[in-house]
Amino acid sequence: MRIRYWTGLGSLMLSLGMAACSDGTADETFPPTDYSYLPQIHLNVASIDVQDEAPAAPDSLSAKAPIAPDQALKNMAAQRLIASGTSGKADFIIKQAYLNRAGNNAVEGAMDVQLNVADANNQHTGFVHARITRKLDAGDRDPTSRKELYTLTNQMMQDMNVELEFQIRKKLLSWMTDAAGTPIVNGGVEQQTLGVTVFADVGGAVPGVLSVGVVCAVTGSAPGTPSVCCSTP
């Protein structure tokens, strides 16, 4: 009887070992999410509070992922959203963040966040909302493996980084500052230097440098030294 017991236990351990090997990622390590290579977004507030209000999904695969979607969002907020003002506050709220199975060979996920800003007296306020969804077809691989969940999370974060910055620049531009806390917008005219430029002749003046993605007009200046005023379209 004792021999049967140990034989059964050995078979069970062998079975578990083979299952772990079949996944192929049981012992694989994954680098933490890092968004320090992206431009920081400085806001004219004294503090930024991160709140995770995402409801728990019963069938979510988030807990199995090397980096849960809500944790990736927290890392992004900590690295990219910078309080550069002397008063007021911002709240970065995670409203949804999950990974789910989608059929036999795919996984899907969604992220939904909101950024609220307010001055010290709560008289001037603003907010933006950003939501993204993604689906990953794993083909003949296990869609619920840690590697596939890590890949999907990273793809979702790429989308969210783009979407959130777009919404902030579109709706909260007046709340943005440079690293020193100086507003980059004054009366609707953007003073920030953009990273991409093109060259063009304007009104017969010498070639000047115009920022891509903005509408520019030349004001009265001496020939050869045009004054360019740019505003977002």
Side-chain angles (χ1 to χ4, degrees):
M1 190 72 176
R2 181 176 300 173
I3 294 176
R4 288 180 182 177
Y5 171 78
W6 284 108
T7 301
L9 181 60
S11 299
L12 176 62
M13 294 301 292
L14 179 61
S15 175
L16 291 175
M18 292 178 65
C21 292
S22 66
D23 180 77
T25 60
D27 298 324
E28 189 173 353
T29 59
F30 300 88
T33 55
D34 179 27
Y35 309 105
S36 59
Y37 66 94
L38 294 171
Q40 292 181 329
I41 301 173
H42 295 265
L43 299 173
N44 192 12
V45 294
S47 64
I48 299 176
D49 185 31
V50 177
Q51 304 170 22
D52 189 350
E53 298 181 359
D59 299 326
S60 176
L61 295 168
S62 300
K64 184 180 179 181
I67 300 174
D70 59 341
Q71 184 58 53
L73 288 168
K74 293 175 186 177
N75 295 347
M76 178 195 69
Q79 291 183 314
R80 297 204 64 197
L81 301 180
I82 309 299
S84 297
T86 58
S87 63
K89 66 169 296 188
D91 293 311
F92 180 79
I93 306 171
I94 302 171
K95 306 182 79 66
Q96 192 177 51
Y98 69 81
L99 302 172
N100 279 342
R101 187 153 189 164
N104 294 328
N105 304 102
V107 283
E108 63 183 4
M111 292 176 173
D112 193 307
V113 302
Q114 184 167 317
L115 178 65
N116 301 330
V117 292
D119 63 8
N121 299 319
N122 208 38
Q123 293 182 344
H124 298 91
T125 62
F127 77 95
V128 295
H129 173 250
R131 176 179 173 80
I132 62 94
T133 60
R134 264 273 189 170
K135 185 176 181 179
L136 175 67
D137 189 342
D140 57 357
R141 303 181 303 275
D142 178 9
T144 66
S145 70
R146 285 163 50 83
K147 183 176 181 179
E148 300 303 323
L149 297 177
Y150 180 78
T151 299
L152 177 58
T153 301
N154 279 333
Q155 291 177 350
M156 292 166 62
M157 287 305 302
Q158 291 175 5
D159 295 342
M160 178 55 77
N161 270 294
V162 173
E163 179 64 17
L164 180 61
E165 182 171 355
F166 171 78
Q167 293 297 336
I168 291 175
R169 291 188 177 277
K170 180 181 178 181
K171 299 178 181 178
L172 295 180
L173 193 58
S174 62
W175 287 85
M176 294 181 65
T177 73
D178 60 17
T182 304
I184 65 172
V185 172
N186 183 12
V189 178
E190 186 171 356
Q191 306 295 331
Q192 186 184 35
T193 301
L194 301 182
V196 182
T197 58
V198 295
F199 293 87
D201 268 334
V202 183
V206 296
V209 180
L210 302 184
S211 297
V212 172
V214 295
V215 177
C216 300
V218 178
T219 61
S221 300
T225 56
S227 175
V228 182
C229 176
C230 300
S231 61
T232 54

